[in-house]
Amino acid sequence: MKILKFGGTSVADAQNIKRVINIVKDKSQESRLIVVVSALSGVTDLLLKASKEASEKNDHYKEITKLIEQKHLEAIKDLISVNHQSALLSHVKRIINHLETLLDGCFLLGELSARTSDTIAGFGEILSSYIISEAMKHDAELVVETSFKDSRELIITNSSFGKAAVNFEITNQLIADYFHNEGARVTVMPGFVASSMDGNNTTLGRGGSDYTAAILAAATNASDLEIWTDVNGMYTANPRLVKQAQPIRHISYQEAMELSHFGAKVLYPPTIQPVLHLNIPIWIKNTFEPEAFGTYISNENNLQSNPIKGISHIDKITVITLEGSGIIGVSGFSKRLFEALSNENINVIFITQASSERSICIGILDVDADKAKVAVDKAFEVEISQLRIDPCTIEKNMCIVALVGENMKNHQGLSGKMFSTLGKNNVNIRAIAQGASERNISVVINEKDVQKALNTLHERFFEDNIKQLNLFVMGVGNVGEKFMEQITNQKKYLRENLKINIRLIGVSNSRKMLFDGDGIPLKDWKNLLSDGETADKDAFIERVKALNLRNSVFVDITANDEISRTYSQYLEKNIAVVTCNKIACASAFDNYKNLKNLSRKYNAPFLFETNVGAGLPIIDTLKRMIASGDKINKIQAVLSGSLNFIFNNFNENTSFHDVVKEAGVQGFTEPDPKIDLSGVDVARKILILIRESGYEMEIDDIENKSFLPKASLDTDNVPDFFTSLTANAQHFNDLYKEALAKESRLKYVAQFENGKASVGLQFIPKGHDFYNLEGKDNIVLFYTDRYVDQPLIIKGAGAGAAVTASGIFADVIRVGNV
């Protein structure tokens, strides 16, 4: 004998029911079957809604009843040939009439008793099972004998309506006797429903159809219990929240119980108990993919390298804390607490107590929170009035997350890995509990962090240590496009070789922004962005925060002052910031230090390698020297690739105006070239190096020896600036001639020594390290306690979209390696 149970999605409509019949047809060739079915998808919710509205004297219940009737009639018409429909339609109509009578009674009385609610809630299974049994009887391909049996005649319970307790002694005997005498190859039965000793309708709790199947499996000593649903078994985590979750092939009864208790909705928690001691295996199978392996639940100890079998959670939890000196050493305190909750029928899901005995913390469902506070405060009103115990506090909208695994007890350090992984992603743990069996470690966290927590833990324990980075990119001009191109081309390499998986979640330019929590296709981001919503930096920040994804990285590829002021908002939410925008790090020293402090406090990397030297490893090298104990005494540098390009290409045959224009076309200058030529950009760069060297300095402390004439400096827009370059052509020509006369080359140099810094145009003689600096290259000379006579030199391309993008990309990879 095999027991097959089909859930609501498996019997949602006629098309799905036909799938069920095909599965039954194949299975019936191997063994006798009992087929347990749930209500058609959504029907139980409709029945409960109708009964509630009827009891509240809202006649909308009549429309709901019509909808329920229509769903079943449509199924009949699609499943049964016309010449066999009449008797079935009449039977279904009689059941619907009975339902209408009960609902009319609720409406007239304005009340809904628990007994009536159970009767109404069970109509879905009564209707679906009868229709499905008739469909099987009239299916031309299902040639085996099929019968229908009402579960209420065999499963006997007490009168605890809503979730009745089964009388197994009577139930097992009734089931055994019936199937000893029943010869049908396939018997269809409704799940969820039962009857009390005095003949009233009862139910086994939401999800109780699984339990019905398990009761039947135990009573008939079935060879297998198969739970058919709409997924390929139990998953390592909720696949709706964790896209990388995978089906678990083998799992023990105890592990399955833990996971189902902690929210794995594919299996109703009480299901396992009836079959556990008889060692009847449970299969979780997919109605829509029957060939998939699914999940096999048994007593077999399936040893594997990973001690964690799954990660599950329960949401809508309230944490109640009771504390005070009046608790310490008082016997019977816990008894009074749990008795107060028990008297209100409040289930305690989670318990933890401080070893000092000064406080106790419990987790209950949100819906019971207010009732629980009243009950607990009343139970301890004497102690509260004497100030020996504080009134209990409640924290709603919490969630319990649990790691589950039978072999966890044999592995050290799992708790540490769990807590450190959550901590790195700024997920605050409110309470912790671990059972003596060591099959699970449970933590209470804020409900808003649950998706981040589940994904973070799943990544740590199940994804071969692959770290997923979720990028939010602001600015996709020349550099931004190159950055997108590079991550697209390197995505596969990063995953296979560096164990980093990059997803683009949000992107924005000055006009449009686009978000997709599941990831924006990298090869199509530009087309999708053009159809995005209107860009808004504040709305962008709020969307990033609301998504609350693990390993989030905000990438600023702009030169925008307002965007630079938003970094603190990201860092405070544990969102890494990678930027080529120099404004923040060259702003007031207090702001610079605040950003660095926020980065440390919230464990959110703040990386800005491209602020100086584009893709050159200047800042990274500097940080390593400082970290190793070296001290920077002097810096000399050519830090503007654009100015180096300009002065390397400016000669008697090319006007200064034209060279600056060409530098802009090639992407070597800022959109406003005056930022480069005025020395402001270079001043910012040397300031950042000075600060990273451990010195405190402001931008105004740097002497800026500008080579631009006053007329050019006084312009306030780009066209006027270029006009001024033409008008003052002789000034630039004179500079060039002076350099020729001195057998020198013009270089814009930044330097720092003895606490003083300056930037300005210099005549560099032959033999100097800067003399042969070609094209758009940068060069930095660091004189330190260790590099005294000969400086540490870093040299290479310091401008251009591709090299700048590669520097940003390198910083993103650094975040992945943290």
Side-chain angles (χ1 to χ4, degrees), residues 107-126:
F107 181 84
L108 292 170
L109 293 172
E111 66 177 24
L112 177 64
S113 68
R115 186 172 72 176
T116 303
S117 179
D118 262 16
T119 300
I120 292 172
F123 272 90
E125 277 74 14
I126 300 301

Side-chain angles (χ1 to χ4, degrees), residues 197-213:
M197 291 290 291
D198 52 4
N200 289 312
N201 293 322
T202 58
T203 60
L204 303 177
R206 289 303 298 267
S209 292
D210 287 358
Y211 193 30
T212 302

Side-chain angles (χ1 to χ4, degrees), residues 27 41 77 89 104 160 205 213 229 333 488 516 520 531 626 727:
K27 295 285 183 179
S41 183
K77 290 173 182 176
L89 288 171
D104 289 342
S160 295
T229 181
F333 171 81
T488 301
D516 187 337
I520 299 167
D531 294 326
I626 298 298

Side-chain angles (χ1 to χ4, degrees), residues 340-508:
L341 296 171
S342 176
N343 290 339
E344 297 294 329
N345 291 317
I346 296 171
N347 183 41
V348 176
I349 301 169
F350 178 101
I351 306 167
T352 185
Q353 183 171 12
S355 58
S356 66
E357 296 186 58
R358 194 179 188 281
S359 67
I360 187 168
C361 177
I362 60 172
I364 62 173
L365 293 176
D366 279 346
V367 293
D368 294 326
D370 296 332
K371 184 169 60 172
K373 177 171 174 54
V374 172
V376 173
D377 284 348
K378 184 176 180 181
F380 295 96
E381 59 185 345
V382 174
E383 290 89 344
I384 292 171
S385 68
Q386 295 172 348
L387 303 181
R388 292 192 293 124
I389 296 177
D390 299 330
C392 75
T393 60
I394 63 173
E395 297 170 80
K396 295 184 179 180
N397 302 316
M398 307 298 279
C399 176
I400 299 173
V401 173
L403 291 187
V404 173
E406 184 72 26
N407 296 317
M408 285 167 54
K409 57 182 175 287
N410 299 320
H411 289 74
Q412 290 74 40
L414 291 178
S415 299
K417 290 178 183 178
M418 181 184 191
F419 303 148
S420 64
T421 300
L422 293 174
K424 284 179 181 178
N425 277 273
N426 206 34
V427 176
N428 184 47
I429 297 173
R430 179 64 185 81
I432 302 166
Q434 182 171 12
S437 68
E438 296 187 61
R439 284 195 195 100
N440 87 60
I441 306 170
S442 305
V443 297
V444 177
I445 63 173
N446 197 300
E447 201 166 77
K448 67 180 177 61
D449 290 326
V450 65
Q451 184 167 8
K452 180 196 282 189
L454 291 174
N455 279 276
T456 299
L457 292 171
H458 195 274
E459 180 178 88
R460 178 66 183 83
F461 290 106
F462 289 103
E463 296 176 37
D464 194 24
N465 286 326
I466 291 177
K467 188 171 186 177
Q468 180 167 289
L469 298 183
N470 296 300
L471 302 190
F472 300 88
V473 180
M474 180 78 76
V476 280
N478 290 337
V479 176
E481 282 204 34
K482 289 292 183 182
F483 173 70
M484 293 294 202
E485 182 181 310
Q486 289 173 10
I487 62 174
T488 301
N489 293 338
Q490 289 298 104
K491 183 176 172 67
K492 183 179 179 182
Y493 174 86
L494 292 177
R495 184 176 178 88
E496 292 178 354
N497 294 277
L498 300 184
K499 302 299 182 183
I500 296 173
N501 182 42
I502 288 183
R503 289 198 315 169
L504 178 65
I505 305 298
V507 61
S508 177

